Amino acid sequence: MNDNKLLPLREKIDAIDAAILELLNQRASVAQEVGHVKAETNAPVFRPEREAQVLRNMAAKNTGPLLNDDIQLIFREVMSACRALERRVVVAFLGPVGTFSEQAVYKQFGHAIEALPCISIDEVFRATEAGTADFGVVPIENSSEGAINRTLDLLLQTSLAISGEVAIPVQHSLMSKSGTMEGVTRICAHSQALAQCQAWLNQHFPHVERQAVASNAEAARMASADYSVAAIASEIAGHQYNLGIVSAHIQDDPHNRTRFAVVGRLNTTPSGKDQTSIVLATPNKAGAVYNLLAPLSKHGVSMTRFESRPARTGNWEYYFYVDVEGHAMDAKVKAAMDELNQDAAFFKILGSYPCTV
Amino acid sequence: MNDNKLLPLREKIDAIDAAILELLNQRASVAQEVGHVKAETNAPVFRPEREAQVLRNMAAKNTGPLLNDDIQLIFREVMSACRALERRVVVAFLGPVGTFSEQAVYKQFGHAIEALPCISIDEVFRATEAGTADFGVVPIENSSEGAINRTLDLLLQTSLAISGEVAIPVQHSLMSKSGTMEGVTRICAHSQALAQCQAWLNQHFPHVERQAVASNAEAARMASADYSVAAIASEIAGHQYNLGIVSAHIQDDPHNRTRFAVVGRLNTTPSGKDQTSIVLATPNKAGAVYNLLAPLSKHGVSMTRFESRPARTGNWEYYFYVDVEGHAMDAKVKAAMDELNQDAAFFKILGSYPCTV
């Protein structure tokens, strides 16, 4: 063994760990003081804008070798543990345990919380509105499960504000039993996955039949039983069914993600790098949209996302869900919002919150 | 706002965070040196005994206010991130994502790993034996799902050694729609849960009918629809079905847990506080067991667990799964094992590994 070489290094690590431990407890003590100050004015335990600032700060100062992602994961847990000395934040999410929603909860809040699985998106909103939960985490743009319409509908009516956004990466790979396309006559996947890989498929396998099946996992299962089938699915599903990878990460958008909104009863103050989500409607469609959004360009506010959704009731035909850069308390965003509010038939600010760290 | 009071405290925290960040990167640099030394001799990236020592060390030195559990969670992630600079350890587990098994994986290895969900316990063993995964995590004593027999069978044959144990707490509460027992005529739960709460039920509600149903979640659902039903289930399930808590944590054993074994291709060296799992068999049953175990008491080795399991094939009737205190490399454990090996019709050391931290 090489214990002679390892021992002094391990002693070094032990000394560093002891120093880290001491600093962690110092931090926790100061955090407790913060808690006492907050308690005087009933201020909330979890401040998304403050935590986003800490994480950005750490990423900016990080010299390596640790990766920013790992540093942020560690500091999430540090903040989570410090917070929990005051009170465990309760976070409602669309259960069951083990969904991507739960991953999003821990990514945003760390593990020193109480995660409360709910049976429906409605229930997440209800639990958070009623105060059973401090926050709720709901899918807002889901590339494979299509559960977002309900979230969008509920956001229209709720008294809750969006206070954060979490993204979980989703990647597709082309896989088959042999790990090659030899003898493959069909490529199977969920229709959403086929759509997300369309350009790549058109370029590489334009003449192979594509078949939509119930889920990507089902496609992987089919491929595991049949050399003539290739599947598009996650590598995890591929592993599970012993498939070989023909080509990895073939989705047309390399940053394909499922997005979640964090909703809460409080408005979030500016963190320095924020975005604002709004929803608005016009009574008629043609041209009106362009005019409607004129205040944004007039005030130099960048739009980062635009989605329309047919209105099921009311006097207008479409709702427009728009994300813009900046916080609603920023002067130019505020000016643009005020004008939008005057012009639109329906207007609601869903929330201003820190951009994903 | 009380920002005047908060600001100086936040500045203090920022300064502490910067110091922690620097130490984390120092630690990672030394860990990289460790990696280089290990690479010279092909030593494994993950050493359960070393990580157990670090965690115990931190718990022993911890002065608070942070709780030991939170400190250990943070250091798991720190070690996980440092390890990942060398290579991400691959851990196979019984999927799907989101089971207690996955929780156990992250509890043991931190998040900077690749978790590989498998469709069966057999597949976890196979992936780990084949080297697709560095480690496998399998349920070994599961208070509600009863999946352990397969694990015990596979442990008999496998070339893998147990290198760790993880416990996930399981707690039961008595709940009803009204939050009281008024009008309740039946208590429903999975048979395992009823059994685990038997003494408590006999004491508090001896005359209320008990009914075994498919799962505790099903019991909770029934209770949510019927004032005459109370359910025994997790509080999470209760929340989900809007039940009120009649009495919390009623299981007879307050430390009710699901246990998982971590299996790997390498034997673990002593960590200072270890246990050893063995399995043995005798050709006949009566009295033989007592004689069989005599070497343990003779050499002063404490037995911490004893389970028998009917053998399905072979010349003996039962397999005995025994856990003892100490590492198989400890002199007295080794002496006892040698004697057991001589006397038993079948004898296998499943592994020596650090006690749960």
Side-chain angles (χ1 to χ4, degrees):
Chain A
M1 281 297 288
N2 42 13
D3 278 354
N4 291 343
K5 287 187 189 170
L6 284 181
L7 203 63
L9 294 174
R10 288 192 167 156
E11 281 169 0
K12 256 196 215 177
I13 287 180
D14 290 345
I16 294 172
D17 284 350
I20 294 174
L21 175 64
E22 207 181 310
L23 286 170
L24 287 173
N25 276 316
Q26 274 180 29
R27 187 195 202 282
S29 299
V30 182
Q32 284 183 314
E33 286 183 64
V34 170
H36 297 148
V37 175
K38 282 183 177 176
E40 288 169 16
T41 53
N42 252 327
V45 172
F46 179 78
R47 289 288 293 270
E49 59 275 40
R50 165 68 182 156
E51 299 209 351
Q53 283 167 344
V54 170
L55 294 179
R56 272 183 215 137
N57 213 350
M58 290 299 104
K61 286 189 182 153
N62 181 28
T63 55
L66 285 175
L67 306 176
N68 278 351
D69 280 358
D70 291 331
I71 286 289
Q72 292 183 338
L73 201 151
I74 292 166
F75 273 93
R76 263 300 177 218
E77 295 301 339
V78 170
M79 292 189 288
S80 192
C82 288
R83 241 191 277 131
L85 289 176
E86 272 174 82
R87 186 170 72 75
R88 284 194 178 243
V89 168
V90 179
V91 185
F93 69 101
L94 180 62
V97 169
T99 53
F100 282 127
S101 295
E102 194 192 22
Q103 276 185 41
V105 168
Y106 291 124
K107 194 168 174 187
Q108 177 77 353
F109 294 92
H111 281 74
I113 57 148
E114 191 188 328
L116 175 62
C118 295
I119 43 168
S120 66
I121 294 176
D122 292 60
E123 192 53 39
V124 175
F125 276 87
R126 202 155 32 227
T128 312
E129 284 164 356
T132 310
D134 297 294
F135 291 92
V137 170
V138 285
I140 193 165
E141 186 186 318
N142 192 316
S143 52
S144 61
E145 288 158 45
I148 57 158
N149 290 346
R150 191 64 196 147
T151 298
L152 295 180
D153 288 349
L154 289 166
L155 282 172
L156 279 181
Q157 313 152 11
T158 187
S159 61
L160 301 175
I162 300 182
S163 68
E165 186 184 282
V166 193
I168 301 287
V170 176
Q171 301 197 308
H172 298 306
S173 296
L174 181 66
M175 295 171 289
S176 72
K177 205 167 151 86
S178 66
T180 71
M181 287 297 277
E182 252 188 65
V184 169
T185 57
R186 268 187 306 163
I187 297 173
C188 295
H190 187 267
S191 59
Q192 300 258 5
L194 286 175
Q196 285 165 15
C197 303
Q198 193 170 11
W200 191 93
L201 291 171
N202 288 345
Q203 194 190 335
H204 292 88
F205 298 104
H207 304 303
V208 179
E209 183 195 341
R210 296 170 208 172
Q211 185 187 342
V213 296
S215 69
N216 293 345
E218 171 62 13
R221 194 199 58 72
M222 289 166 66
S224 74
D226 184 345
Y227 278 99
S228 73
V229 172
I232 295 173
S234 69
E235 284 181 34
I236 282 175
H239 266 300
Q240 213 167 317
Y241 288 103
N242 275 318
L243 301 181
I245 294 175
V246 177
S247 194
H249 304 176
I250 63 166
Q251 71 278 358
D252 299 331
D253 173 6
H255 304 297
N256 195 27
R257 304 164 311 166
T258 298
R259 289 196 311 130
F260 296 86
V262 181
V263 292
R265 291 185 303 282
L266 294 169
N267 289 311
T268 303
T269 58
S271 76
K273 200 180 161 207
D274 301 279
Q275 66 187 46
T276 298
S277 294
I278 57 176
V279 58
L280 35 75
T282 48
N284 54 61
K285 196 174 133 199
V289 181
Y290 178 78
N291 293 333
L292 193 63
L293 295 175
L296 293 179
S297 57
K298 178 177 158 196
H299 291 280
V301 174
S302 298
M303 192 167 69
T304 55
R305 187 185 313 275
F306 178 86
E307 271 165 34
S308 65
R309 169 159 166 65
R312 289 183 309 184
T313 54
N315 300 320
W316 34 82
E317 293 172 52
Y318 283 83
Y319 284 111
F320 301 97
Y321 290 80
V322 180
D323 286 0
V324 300
E325 279 179 13
H327 195 284
M329 285 163 77
D330 298 349
K332 62 182 191 178
V333 178
K334 188 175 183 319
M337 294 299 113
D338 286 347
E339 283 187 34
L340 287 176
N341 194 8
Q342 280 183 344
D343 301 345
F346 177 90
F347 177 82
K348 186 184 177 190
I349 296 184
L350 299 177
S352 286
Y353 49 91
C355 298
T356 308
V357 180
Chain B
M1 279 299 288
N2 43 12
D3 278 356
N4 291 343
K5 286 187 188 170
L6 284 182
L7 204 65
L9 294 174
R10 286 190 168 158
E11 281 168 1
K12 254 195 213 176
I13 287 181
D14 289 346
I16 295 171
D17 283 350
I20 294 174
L21 175 64
E22 206 181 310
L23 286 169
L24 287 173
N25 276 315
Q26 273 181 31
R27 188 196 202 280
S29 299
V30 182
Q32 284 183 313
E33 285 184 63
V34 169
H36 298 148
V37 174
K38 281 183 176 176
E40 288 169 15
T41 53
N42 253 326
V45 172
F46 179 77
R47 287 287 294 271
E49 60 274 41
R50 165 66 183 158
E51 299 208 351
Q53 282 167 345
V54 170
L55 294 180
R56 270 182 217 139
N57 214 349
M58 290 299 104
K61 285 189 182 153
N62 182 28
T63 55
L66 285 174
L67 306 177
N68 277 352
D69 279 0
D70 290 331
I71 286 289
Q72 293 184 337
L73 200 152
I74 292 166
F75 273 93
R76 262 300 176 219
E77 295 302 338
V78 170
M79 292 189 287
S80 192
C82 289
R83 241 191 278 130
L85 290 175
E86 274 175 81
R87 186 169 71 74
R88 281 190 181 248
V89 168
V90 179
V91 185
F93 70 100
L94 180 61
V97 169
T99 52
F100 282 127
S101 295
E102 194 191 24
Q103 276 185 39
V105 167
Y106 291 123
K107 191 167 176 190
Q108 177 77 353
F109 294 93
H111 282 73
I113 57 147
E114 191 188 328
L116 175 61
C118 296
I119 43 169
S120 65
I121 293 175
D122 291 60
E123 192 53 39
V124 175
F125 276 87
R126 200 151 38 223
T128 312
E129 284 165 357
T132 310
D134 298 295
F135 291 92
V137 170
V138 285
I140 193 164
E141 188 185 318
N142 191 316
S143 51
S144 61
E145 290 159 44
I148 58 158
N149 289 346
R150 191 64 194 148
T151 298
L152 295 180
D153 287 349
L154 289 166
L155 282 171
L156 278 180
Q157 311 152 13
T158 186
S159 61
L160 302 175
I162 299 181
S163 68
E165 187 182 281
V166 194
I168 300 286
V170 177
Q171 300 198 309
H172 299 304
S173 296
L174 181 65
M175 294 171 292
S176 71
K177 207 168 150 86
S178 66
T180 72
M181 287 297 276
E182 250 187 68
V184 169
T185 57
R186 270 186 306 164
I187 296 172
C188 295
H190 186 269
S191 59
Q192 300 258 5
L194 286 174
Q196 286 166 15
C197 303
Q198 193 170 11
W200 190 93
L201 290 172
N202 288 345
Q203 196 189 333
H204 292 87
F205 297 103
H207 303 302
V208 180
E209 184 194 341
R210 296 168 209 174
Q211 186 187 343
V213 296
S215 68
N216 293 346
E218 171 63 12
R221 194 199 58 71
M222 289 167 66
S224 73
D226 185 345
Y227 278 99
S228 75
V229 172
I232 295 173
S234 69
E235 285 181 33
I236 282 176
H239 267 300
Q240 210 166 317
Y241 289 104
N242 276 317
L243 301 181
I245 293 176
V246 178
S247 194
H249 304 172
I250 63 166
Q251 70 278 358
D252 298 331
D253 174 4
H255 305 296
N256 196 27
R257 304 163 312 164
T258 298
R259 289 194 312 130
F260 297 86
V262 181
V263 293
R265 292 185 301 284
L266 294 169
N267 289 310
T268 302
T269 58
S271 76
K273 199 181 160 205
D274 301 280
Q275 67 186 45
T276 298
S277 294
I278 58 176
V279 57
L280 36 74
T282 47
N284 55 60
K285 197 173 131 200
V289 181
Y290 177 80
N291 294 332
L292 194 63
L293 296 174
L296 293 179
S297 56
K298 178 177 159 196
H299 292 280
V301 175
S302 298
M303 193 166 68
T304 55
R305 187 184 314 274
F306 179 87
E307 271 164 34
S308 65
R309 169 158 165 66
R312 289 183 307 184
T313 54
N315 300 318
W316 34 83
E317 292 172 53
Y318 284 85
Y319 284 110
F320 301 98
Y321 291 80
V322 180
D323 287 359
V324 300
E325 278 179 11
H327 194 284
M329 286 163 76
D330 298 349
K332 63 183 189 178
V333 178
K334 187 173 183 318
M337 295 299 116
D338 287 347
E339 282 186 35
L340 287 175
N341 193 7
Q342 280 184 344
D343 300 345
F346 177 91
F347 176 82
K348 185 185 177 189
I349 297 184
L350 299 177
S352 286
Y353 49 90
C355 297
T356 309
V357 180

